[in-house]
């Protein structure tokens, strides 16, 4: 036998020399031989076959993987399918299940020797990806988890394992399955019990519910479940090494892992914290720090491979000790995320599909056994996840959505399956069944969650939360959203003129920050430092300005500050949920385009969709504040006895009434002057159409305002008769620099007049009139507040049907 093996090796060595490729096996080992140094091709014209060289072959493989997976993703996206489904299906399409059935295609495009480089790239990509997941995780959030989170994590793990184990024992007995398959089913039970946080975080981000109530609960629960499951698996691994090998080897393994963990926690982490402390707020982290972290990552990966815990796990541990968010965490994610997620990770998913051959599935007992265990684990985890939220009175649809989210499958499960296949824990048939199950489960769960769970449903308020329906002696609760330092001055001015002695203002300030370098969103109250910092953060600068405003108005204003960190796509959930929880009556949001001077505009288009979503889903009234960058008066009005001029444009409808009610509140300030411009038509037709109820309410609020003109010298009423849009533009042109603030309702009922104005509309969040007076070509110097009254109220088909209206005081 030994002589035969030596002969085989000699023959293989001869093949290497002439560039021939063969695959040979000796025992349980496989040997793949190919020509050495065949990297770049000289081209077809010089007689080279480009696909016989590694570099052009890699380029072709990457191109096909990218094209096929993206094409399938575009096809499946309308059906709510996540990217992992399209990437696995792309691999199935390119693999032996479909195109790989053609021997020429398989041997030329995806030959066995050409997969080695792809496999290496995929593992390297996986290491970077898991490292970034570790960077995005805040381990301290586990300590902040409540009883519900621990109950969900524990019960989901126990129920899934218990139900799946019982079903496995039953079917192994009833179907008389062989020992190998029963062992595979035992592995399936363990995998079904696992709830991987990286999978949950990616899944929630793709569904755009990362910062929803259920999204935060799923993130916290999966993190705790991962910790429990990881601890159990560590003890199981140590016990298995002790039994299979020796106590000495088990102790050596434990000590080597402990030393690596100690080096990372007590050596690397302090150095990283030092680098962060020496990075000024708002400044980019030094390139040398990023370089050192990446070199450290490679070294820790190598050490992990040496001691046997895998480079991927050691990379994850290193990522955990790096603080999430800016400056360092965000810098690492910004530099590596696109390259890793777009180029390297699809290779791994596609390779899973390439290794899957559906034609190896032949035994119905194997299929039934695996499917039944998967289904049992699914049901067990679903029940275990649903029970605690229901006890906490969570709606059943939301609890069911949480159970489905916790059952999602993704990258970690695929990594485990790939390892099991490589180590011959499961054969090609079982591997194919498991891969298909991942695709099916994920593909079914995603659209189901989109159907069941809509975060905006809970933003439906149970009562009117508007200024118009606000009692005089009732505290006004205002939420001011801040994007940057540029928003502070104008919002403080607006709050200053809204401040009255008759009713207090409870002010909530929310600093909205883009999610960067974190895996989970965050909405938390701001807690000031015990000792002021010489380098305050952006949030501290913002909150300090509002704190100073509170100190100047201690008897009338109370301040509460929040930080919201989330993706732009779902940032409105933070605004709306905070408004609902704190019973806010009016939200102030800055317009995404701000005028810095007469010739320059600053646009932040990322906030445009945010403003639209808030206007669409907020549980109260909203004001979009456009800062024209030409304030005629300083912020502090009371101390300097200056006059603040406010103009209200009134056409009719709930939004205009809300704007007029707000102006009526401002009149309680002794230094505010309000001018009402009521636009009417020269014909018998109303300038704005509407229901009879709406017209009655318009007439009531206008009569009350007109009746007070003679009693209050700070009130003016002007009735403007307009024929067409040109007349309206002429009236707006006369305003010029006469006012500090112009207020108008966002929406008006359909009419020919409003339709004529609508041809200039580019920003639906401002409405036709708001866009015309606040557009970049407008000569109006005043800031503009576009007001939208609360749209939806629980139990009222027509929100205008409310008996308790705020009387406009003149």
């Amino acid at each position: 036998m030994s002589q035969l093996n030596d002969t085989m090796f000699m023959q293989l060595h001869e093949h290497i020399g002439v560039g021939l490729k063969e695959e040979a096996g000796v025992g349980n080992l496989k040997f793949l031989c190919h020509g050495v140094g065949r990297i770049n091709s000289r081209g077809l014209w010089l007689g080279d076959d480009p696909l016989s060289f590694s570099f052009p072959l890699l380029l072709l493989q990457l191109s096909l993987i990218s094209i096929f997976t993206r094409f399938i993703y575009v096809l499946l996206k309308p059906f709510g399918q996540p990217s992992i489904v399209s990437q696995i299906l792309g691999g199935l399409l390119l693999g032996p299940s479909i195109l790989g059935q053609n021997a020429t295609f398989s041997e030329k495009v995806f030959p066995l020797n050409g997969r080695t480089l792809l496999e290496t790239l995929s593992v390297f990509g996986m290491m970077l990806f898991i490292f970034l997941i570790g960077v995005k995780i805040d381990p301290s959030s586990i300590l902040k988890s409540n009883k519900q989170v621990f109950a969900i994590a524990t019960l989901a793990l126990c129920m899934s394992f218990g139900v799946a184990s019982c079903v496995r024992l039953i079917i192994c007995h009833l179907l008389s399955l062989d020992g190998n398959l029963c062992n595979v089913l035992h592995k399936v039970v363990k995998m079904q019990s696992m709830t991987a946080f990286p999978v949950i975080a990616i899944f929630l981000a793709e569904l755009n519910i990362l910062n929803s109530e259920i999204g935060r609960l799923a993130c916290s629960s999966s993190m705790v479940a991962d910790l429990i499951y990881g601890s159990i698996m560590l003890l199981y691994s140590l016990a298995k090494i002790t039994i299979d090998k020796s106590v000495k080897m088990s102790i050596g393994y434990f000590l080597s892992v402990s030393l690596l963990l100690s080096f990372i926690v007590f050596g690397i982490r302090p150095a990283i914290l030092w680098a962060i402390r020496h990075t000024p707020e708002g400044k980019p982290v030094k390139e040398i720090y990023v370089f050192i972290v990446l070199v450290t990552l490679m070294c820790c990966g190598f050490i992990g491979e040496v001691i046997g815990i895998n480079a991927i796990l050691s990379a994850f541990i290193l990522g955990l000790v790096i603080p999430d968010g800016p400056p360092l965490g965000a810098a690492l994610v910004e530099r590596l995320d696109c390259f890793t997620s777009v180029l390297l990770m699809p290779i791994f998913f596609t390779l899973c599909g390439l290794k899957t051959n559906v034609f190896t599935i032949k035994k119905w007992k194997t299929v039934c056994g695996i499917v039944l265990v998967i289904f049992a684990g699914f049901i067990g985890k679903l029940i275990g996840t649903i029970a605690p939220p229901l006890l906490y009175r969570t709606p059943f649809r939301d609890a069911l959505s949480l159970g489905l989210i916790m059952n999602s499958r993704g990258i970690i499960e695929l990594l485990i399956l790939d390892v099991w296949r490589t180590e011959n824990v499961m054969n090609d048939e079982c591997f194919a069944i498991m891969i298909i199950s991942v695709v099916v489960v994920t593909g079914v769960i995603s659209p189901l969650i989109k159907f069941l769970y809509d975060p905006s449903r809970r933003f439906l308020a149970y009562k009117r939360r508007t200024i118009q329906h606000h009692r005089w002696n009732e505290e006004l609760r205002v939420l001011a959203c801040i994007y940057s330092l540029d928003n502070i001055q104008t919002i403080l001015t607006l709050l200053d003129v809204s401040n009255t002695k008759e009713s207090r203002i409870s002010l909530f300030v929310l600093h909205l920050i883009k999610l960067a370098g974190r895996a989970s969103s965050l909405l938390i109250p701001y807690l000031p430092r015990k000792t002021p910092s010489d380098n305050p953060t952006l949030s501290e600068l913002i909150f300090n300005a509002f704190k100073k405003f509170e100190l100047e108005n201690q008897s009338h204003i109370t301040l509460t500050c929040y930080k919201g960190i989330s993706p732009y796509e779902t940032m409105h959930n933070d605004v709306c949920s905070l408004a609902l929880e704190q019973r806010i009556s009016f939200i102030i949001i800055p317009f995404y385009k701000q005028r810095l001077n007469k010739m320059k505009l600053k646009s932040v288009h990322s906030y445009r969709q945010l403003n639209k979503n808030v206007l669409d889903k907020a549980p109260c009234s909203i004001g979009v504040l456009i800062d024209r960058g030409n304030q005629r008066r300083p912020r502090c009005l009371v101390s300097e006895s200056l006059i603040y001029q406010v103009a209200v444009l009134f056409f009719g409808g709930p939004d205009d009434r809300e704007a007029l009610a707000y102006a009526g509140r401002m009149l309680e300030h002794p230094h505010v002057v309000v001018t009402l411009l009521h636009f009417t038509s020269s014909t018998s037709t109303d300038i704005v159409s509407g229901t009879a109820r709406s017209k009655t309410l318009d007439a009531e609020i206008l009569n009350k305002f007109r009746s007070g003109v003679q009693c209050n010298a700070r009130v003016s009423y002007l009735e403007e008769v307009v024929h067409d849009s040109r007349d309206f533009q002429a009236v707006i042109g006369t305003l010029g620099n006469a006012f500090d603030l112009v207020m108008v309702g966002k929406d008006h009922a359909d009419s020919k007049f409003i339709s004529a104005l609508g041809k200039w509309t580019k920003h639906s969040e401002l409405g036709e009139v708001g866009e015309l007076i606040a557009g970049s070509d407008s000569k109006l110097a005043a800031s503009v507040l576009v007001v939208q009254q609360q749209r939806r109220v629980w139990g009222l088909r027509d929100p205008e049907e409310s008996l308790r209206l705020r009387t406009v005081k003149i």
Side-chain angles (χ1 to χ4, degrees), residues 618-636:
C620 59
S621 295
I622 310 122
V624 180
L625 184 59
I626 299 97
D627 182 5
R628 306 306 297 273
N630 189 23
Q631 290 289 309
R632 302 187 312 131
R633 301 286 185 255
R635 179 182 64 80
C636 188

Side-chain angles (χ1 to χ4, degrees), residues 268-342:
I268 297 176
R269 180 172 171 79
I272 290 172
L273 294 177
W274 178 89
I276 292 174
R277 285 195 301 269
H278 286 75
T279 301
E281 171 69 21
K283 298 293 183 180
V285 68
K286 293 181 180 179
E287 291 292 333
I288 187 63
Y289 296 157
V290 177
F291 170 77
I292 292 173
V293 170
L294 293 178
V295 172
T296 306
L297 171 63
M298 307 302 170
C299 294
C300 288
F302 173 75
I303 295 172
E305 290 289 324
V306 170
I307 65 177
I309 67 168
N310 195 290
I312 294 173
L313 181 57
S314 58
F316 179 70
I317 297 170
L318 176 63
L320 285 177
V321 303
I322 299 176
D324 59 318
L328 185 58
L332 289 169
V333 172
E334 182 181 356
R335 284 166 171 77
L336 299 177
D337 199 30
C338 181
F339 171 72
T340 304
S341 301
V342 176

Side-chain angles (χ1 to χ4, degrees), residues 216 477-482 506-513 522-527 539-540 542-543 546 559-565 574-575 577-579 581-582 584:
R216 289 194 176 97
R477 303 175 74 83
V478 178
L479 172 61
C481 300
I482 306 295
S506 185
L507 175 61
F508 296 83
V509 177
L510 174 60
H511 181 204
L512 294 165
I513 306 169
L522 195 66
L523 178 62
I524 55 171
Y526 168 73
L527 298 176
S539 295
E540 288 175 327
I542 292 171
F543 297 146
F546 283 93
L559 175 68
T560 308
C561 299
Y562 283 85
K563 287 174 63 176
I565 305 174
D574 288 342
V575 180
S577 57
L578 185 61
E581 292 167 5
Q582 300 298 337
I584 301 297

Side-chain angles (χ1 to χ4, degrees), residues 31 48 94 274 317 342 510 569 577 596 628 673 680 798:
F31 301 92
D48 281 352
L94 293 170
W274 178 89
I317 297 170
V342 176
L510 174 60
E569 295 82 6
S577 57
L596 301 181
R628 306 306 297 273
V673 173
T680 60
D798 182 3

Side-chain angles (χ1 to χ4, degrees), residues 735-790:
L735 301 181
N737 296 320
F739 295 94
D740 297 287
L741 178 68
V742 175
M743 302 173 65
V744 66
K746 174 179 175 285
D747 293 326
H748 305 86
D750 294 335
S751 68
K752 291 182 179 180
F753 181 82
I754 298 298
S755 299
L757 295 179
K759 63 182 181 181
W760 286 283
T761 301
K762 296 179 181 177
H763 308 104
S764 59
E765 62 266 39
L766 298 182
E768 292 87 350
V769 180
E771 164 62 16
L772 192 61
I773 65 175
S776 58
D777 55 347
S778 173
K779 297 180 181 179
L780 187 67
S783 293
V784 179
L785 183 67
V786 179
V787 179
Q788 175 184 284
Q789 194 175 68
Q790 180 187 16

Side-chain angles (χ1 to χ4, degrees), residues 168 171-172 175-185 363 365-366 427:
R168 169 187 169 269
I171 62 176
C172 282
L175 298 180
S176 301
L177 302 180
D178 59 75
N180 290 334
L181 183 54
C182 285
N183 184 51
V184 169
L185 293 181
K363 299 178 181 178
K365 283 187 177 182
T366 305
N427 56 27

